[in-house]
Amino acid sequence: MRRISLVAGAVVAGLLLAACGGGGGGGTETKKVEVFTWWTEGGEKAGLDGLVSTFKKQYPKYKFVNAAVAGGAGSNAKNVLASRLQSGQPPSSFQAHAGGELADYIKAGQLQDLSSLYKSQGWDQKFPEGVVKALTYQGKIYSVPANIHRANVVWANPSVLKKANITKPADSISAWIKDLAKLKKAGVKTPLSVATDWTQVQLLETVLIADLGPDGYSGLWDGKTDWNGSDVTKALNDYKTLLSYTNTDRSGLDWPDAVKYVTDGKAAYNVMGDWTAGALKEQGLSQDKDWIWMPVPGTDGIFDFLADSFTLPVGAPNEAGAKAWLKTVGSAEGQKAFNTKKGSIPVRTDATASDYDAYQQQAIKDFGSDTVVPSLAHGAAVSIGWLTDITSAVGEFGNSKDVAKLQKALASAADSHK
Ligand code: GAL
């Protein structure tokens, strides 16, 4: 009840602000388009810059205002955004993940319906049905997808693998654990690198996919798979074993630091989404020579999906400018400028695959043929509240290493958010 009235209050405050011209008033103010993301460095920033330069070209009368808040996966940005929305001070547009995360904002009455913009831009014909479905609530479409990312990817250093004579990718978590043991024996101190809590959640989600299979994993989110089951216990034990091969300084690191472990030759593997491809490109590193990739062992043929999208908040300052931004995001030119740098693949089905790097060309193919499952760590599978509970249980597990306790916490998180 309290939450509902707070949200309603924020919406009213936002409308009042807009009506009084707060941020959206006359003169130069109306030209500003404030866009909120968490893309501040490396390939992420390069991608955003690409989108911004397309926006400037397509809509020169508007001024892009960058409201990015640093921190991988929106770990800081989402809190800042929540308080801005609650106090009725939304940006012109903000980044949100397709799926459960977006649904939260919609259900809270914080977003405007974009169905007519879709019609006018012909996007219903250009974007894959499954993606549009993850942006739709009660028949209305609420955001514009910028990309498609894959979360179940291992990035590896070929020279480090050589030290343990590892020549082919493992095809299951248990085979992978054997390779990690070989690396340790060959003197590699950190066979697998990981960073702060949300990256551990991402690692765990890929182990759940590998061990439960796509249906078992998807069932965790719609209640069909029992969180207390023995197959989940096995996956959590596998996760515990993987964690024992990781760096102990993980809690102080963000994802680029964990990738750096691999590129510096200090670790063999890191599990991270394919924004890593954008980061590696930005550093001038080349596929095959400096890095290789494989699906997380046991998840070949499965595409752990997430998509970044942009919204039109209720009470958005400069609504016309915000819509212009959204048009750039959905345009062929905008998607190319963004995704060629970001490591993701374009959402538009009329994109030209040869504009993209080898890794991305493969991802385009895989997205078309793999079984698609929703990413947990990146807002596709569950609501923000459910993910927050899972993240604190997983973070806690990093200290306790108590599998029974973790399983109980995950099961009770599922119960309270279903
Ligand atoms: C994800 C986001 C990606 C990338 C990543 C690391 O949540 O969807 O675009 O930014 O976080 O920050």
Side-chain angles (χ1 to χ4, degrees):
M1 242 350 257
R2 192 162 166 266
R3 171 137 192 248
I4 291 174
S5 62
L6 269 180
V7 168
V11 170
V12 172
L15 292 173
L16 279 178
L17 252 179
C20 301
T28 54
E29 274 302 289
T30 52
K31 293 206 171 84
K32 286 188 188 157
V33 178
E34 191 198 23
V35 177
F36 187 99
T37 71
W38 54 82
W39 298 326
T40 59
E41 57 170 313
E44 304 191 325
K45 174 73 165 48
L48 179 62
D49 287 348
L51 207 46
V52 172
S53 52
T54 310
F55 179 59
K56 282 186 181 152
K57 216 166 95 194
Q58 291 179 339
Y59 299 98
K61 72 172 178 175
Y62 294 120
K63 186 176 176 318
F64 175 85
V65 178
N66 190 348
V69 174
S75 43
N76 305 317
K78 284 189 205 166
N79 290 335
V80 175
L81 178 65
S83 60
R84 285 191 61 170
L85 294 177
Q86 287 222 334
S87 61
Q89 290 173 318
S92 306
S93 181
F94 65 83
Q95 171 189 0
H97 285 125
E101 181 182 312
L102 185 77
D104 271 3
Y105 298 116
I106 302 169
K107 288 180 195 162
Q110 291 163 330
L111 297 185
Q112 298 193 45
D113 172 14
L114 296 174
S115 308
S116 59
L117 192 66
Y118 265 68
K119 271 232 166 72
S120 73
Q121 300 304 300
W123 287 333
D124 21 7
Q125 312 298 319
K126 299 281 186 227
F127 300 149
E129 224 182 291
V131 176
V132 176
K133 215 174 135 203
L135 307 169
T136 302
Y137 183 70
Q138 295 184 340
K140 295 173 179 163
I141 314 173
Y142 283 90
S143 76
V144 182
N147 63 3
I148 292 167
H149 268 306
R150 183 177 192 176
N152 58 323
V153 186
V154 181
W155 308 91
N157 184 320
S159 325
V160 179
L161 294 183
K162 241 194 197 144
K163 291 186 189 165
N165 291 322
I166 295 170
T167 50
K168 61 175 189 1
D171 60 2
S172 66
I173 296 290
S174 53
W176 196 26
I177 289 171
K178 285 189 187 135
D179 284 348
L180 293 168
K182 275 191 211 159
L183 284 154
K184 190 109 210 184
K185 213 165 155 214
V188 178
K189 231 175 99 196
T190 306
L192 173 65
S193 67
V194 75
T196 188
D197 296 1
W198 71 262
T199 72
Q200 296 162 35
V201 173
Q202 187 170 338
L203 177 62
L204 172 62
E205 91 183 50
T206 63
V207 176
L208 288 166
I209 297 170
D211 284 357
L212 303 181
D215 291 343
Y217 168 81
S218 296
L220 292 169
W221 318 123
D222 62 16
K224 287 191 186 124
T225 301
D226 180 6
W227 274 99
N228 293 302
S230 58
D231 46 355
V232 173
T233 313
K234 184 195 177 291
L236 298 183
N237 275 306
D238 278 348
Y239 171 67
K240 180 179 174 178
T241 307
L242 290 182
L243 215 55
S244 72
Y245 287 102
T246 63
N247 44 306
T248 49
D249 61 351
R250 54 184 179 261
S251 62
L253 306 181
D254 203 347
W255 73 270
D257 309 306
V259 171
K260 193 165 182 299
Y261 256 90
V262 173
T263 51
D264 283 354
K266 287 203 270 172
Y269 305 109
N270 174 244
V271 171
M272 193 33 56
D274 51 13
W275 41 91
T276 304
L280 295 169
K281 180 176 183 165
E282 190 61 15
Q283 292 167 49
L285 299 172
S286 332
Q287 184 169 350
D288 295 336
K289 185 171 139 290
D290 303 309
W291 57 273
I292 53 173
W293 74 278
M294 61 178 178
V296 169
T299 71
D300 197 10
I302 303 172
F303 196 104
D304 186 13
F305 156 91
L306 64 124
D308 295 303
S309 71
F310 283 91
T311 59
L312 180 63
V314 169
N318 190 3
E319 201 173 298
K323 282 189 178 154
W325 168 256
L326 296 176
K327 285 183 203 164
T328 295
V329 169
S331 70
E333 205 184 340
Q335 298 239 324
K336 181 178 165 189
F338 179 63
N339 289 300
T340 48
K341 303 273 193 230
K342 183 74 165 57
S344 38
I345 60 174
V347 190
R348 288 183 68 111
T349 47
D350 57 357
T352 311
S354 58
D355 287 340
Y356 292 84
D357 290 344
Y359 167 78
Q360 291 164 303
Q361 291 189 23
Q362 187 61 44
I364 291 172
K365 272 195 200 135
D366 290 347
F367 183 69
S369 57
D370 283 3
T371 303
V372 177
V373 298
S375 167
L376 163 63
H378 303 283
V382 297
S383 64
I384 296 174
W386 190 351
L387 175 57
T388 303
D389 287 354
I390 291 176
T391 307
S392 52
V394 169
E396 222 286 296
F397 177 77
N399 302 320
S400 75
K401 312 276 169 33
D402 184 338
V403 166
K405 197 172 160 200
L406 174 61
Q407 188 161 10
K408 216 170 139 209
L410 295 173
S412 94
D415 281 347
S416 53
H417 290 285
K418 249 177 231 154

